[in-house]
Amino acid sequence: MSNYKVLIFDWDGTLVDSIGRIVESIHVAARSCGLPQVDDTAVKGIIGLALPEAVEVLYPGQVDAARVEAFRRHYGEHYLGLEAQPSMPYPGVTEALSEFREAGYLLAVATGKGRRGLDRVLAGQGWEDLFDITRCADETASKPDPLMIHEILAHCGVRPERALMIGDSVFDLQMAHRAGVDSVAVGYGAQPLHVLQQFEPRLGIDRFSELGSWLRSMAGSEVNAYVG
């Protein structure tokens, strides 16, 4: 096991392949609320934020509280319809998470999803008991505020240098940096690696399996350094 004790995962675009559904649902909600369409790249750029913050970023000065609530309702209805068939984990995710648990890591989720939505998809994957703690945007501060990570660390009794945040958005990496936690940038989700590299992650990956390989190599290096 590497020097890290807690692995903190974003959900959408990191563990499950749901980015396309999020983008589609944002566009549908915008049309339903009479808001102008924005391009897919702009929508991907707000994934990771809580939905009210995301709407404010996409439509600055164009939405009041009532419109945000309508946007949330339309988004939720459309996304829930799409999720009748749950988004699939990325290749290798299910196996790797089990291996991480067996290796002794504590596992956590820090997501921009709401609690009801996360509980639903955890049940859909059969992962209700897989994570030691999960934190959602509607029960704490939205990313990139570091509060989610602070709460996870407090629950696990772990210092920041022993935690690793894995995510696919700039908000994941900003949150990690503000919490004093190392990060891994995921290049197959919402945003490409060249955008995420500006936040100086310890590692950039294009496949989830690369995370386990890196952690094992770190553990091996630490053992070798100790023996030497």
Side-chain angles (χ1 to χ4, degrees), residues 9-79:
F9 297 96
D10 170 58
W11 185 268
D12 295 300
T14 297
L15 296 180
V16 299
D17 186 5
S18 52
I19 298 300
R21 293 179 175 187
I22 293 173
V23 172
E24 178 182 329
S25 298
I26 290 286
H27 287 321
V28 168
R31 287 196 299 271
S32 298
C33 292
L35 292 166
Q37 291 294 290
V38 296
D39 62 32
D40 289 357
T41 300
V43 175
K44 290 178 180 179
I46 55 83
I47 293 176
L49 292 175
L51 192 59
E53 284 81 358
V55 176
E56 291 286 352
V57 171
L58 287 175
Y59 300 104
Q62 299 179 60
V63 290
D64 56 15
R67 212 170 199 185
V68 169
E69 183 55 36
F71 194 104
R72 186 205 300 270
R73 185 178 69 257
H74 290 299
Y75 173 89
E77 289 172 354
H78 189 78
Y79 189 81

Side-chain angles (χ1 to χ4, degrees), residues 13 43 47 108 122 155 185 205 209 220:
V43 175
I47 293 176
L122 284 171
H155 175 86
I205 60 174
S209 60

Side-chain angles (χ1 to χ4, degrees), residues 165-187:
M165 176 73 209
I166 302 97
D168 68 317
S169 80
V170 297
F171 308 114
D172 296 320
L173 274 58
Q174 287 176 320
M175 177 175 67
H177 178 74
R178 294 176 184 181
V181 166
D182 285 344
S183 63
V184 169
V186 167

Side-chain angles (χ1 to χ4, degrees), residues 149-171:
I149 291 182
H150 292 326
E151 292 170 345
I152 289 169
L153 297 181
H155 175 86
C156 295
V158 171
R159 294 183 58 80
E161 60 268 21
R162 299 212 65 196
L164 184 68
M165 176 73 209
I166 302 97
D168 68 317
S169 80
V170 297
F171 308 114

